[in-house]
Amino acid sequence: MSLRVARNNRRASYRAAVIVSRKVHKSAVRRNRIRRRIYEAVRLQSVTITEPYDLVFTVFSDQLADMPAVQLQALVERMLVKARVTKVARPASQPVRHDIVTRKED
């Protein structure tokens, strides 16, 4: 999974998008499950996102559909902290090794 971040001063709060290609999994049910799980993980972090950002998560693997919720939450939280979107970081239960974060400056 990767995260792209851009600051959006025209908005009052953040907005998020999750992109799950058909290459990840042929089943729309499975792709939507991944999408919903990531939206929920971001929603749980919404208290720590203080500035208006546009967040775009791109998924490359269908393993996120079966990943435990705690591990997925830690992955999303770690990506947000690495992108400097959140100010507060809780300790992650299990570190995830692969993540790509890019930040677009105005």
Side-chain angles (χ1 to χ4, degrees), residues 1 17-39 56-65:
M1 182 167 63
V18 179
I19 300 169
V20 185
S21 168
R22 230 175 132 192
K23 290 181 181 180
V24 172
H25 201 278
K26 297 293 181 194
S27 171
V29 173
R30 186 107 164 150
R31 291 192 313 269
N32 288 335
R33 176 178 169 81
I34 294 168
R35 196 173 290 117
R36 285 192 311 268
R37 294 186 77 208
I38 294 172
Y39 277 129
V56 179
F57 291 89
T58 306
V59 178
F60 301 112
S61 172
D62 69 336
Q63 293 176 351
L64 295 177

Side-chain angles (χ1 to χ4, degrees), residues 54-97:
D54 290 340
L55 309 170
V56 179
F57 291 89
T58 306
V59 178
F60 301 112
S61 172
D62 69 336
Q63 293 176 351
L64 295 177
D66 299 325
M67 183 182 287
V70 174
Q71 191 176 0
L72 180 62
Q73 178 66 32
L75 173 64
V76 169
E77 180 179 354
R78 190 172 130 197
M79 294 181 87
L80 290 172
V81 168
K82 189 172 180 179
R84 296 184 309 247
V85 172
T86 60
K87 302 295 183 205
V88 179
R90 295 184 316 214
S93 60
Q94 291 181 343
V96 180
R97 295 181 185 163

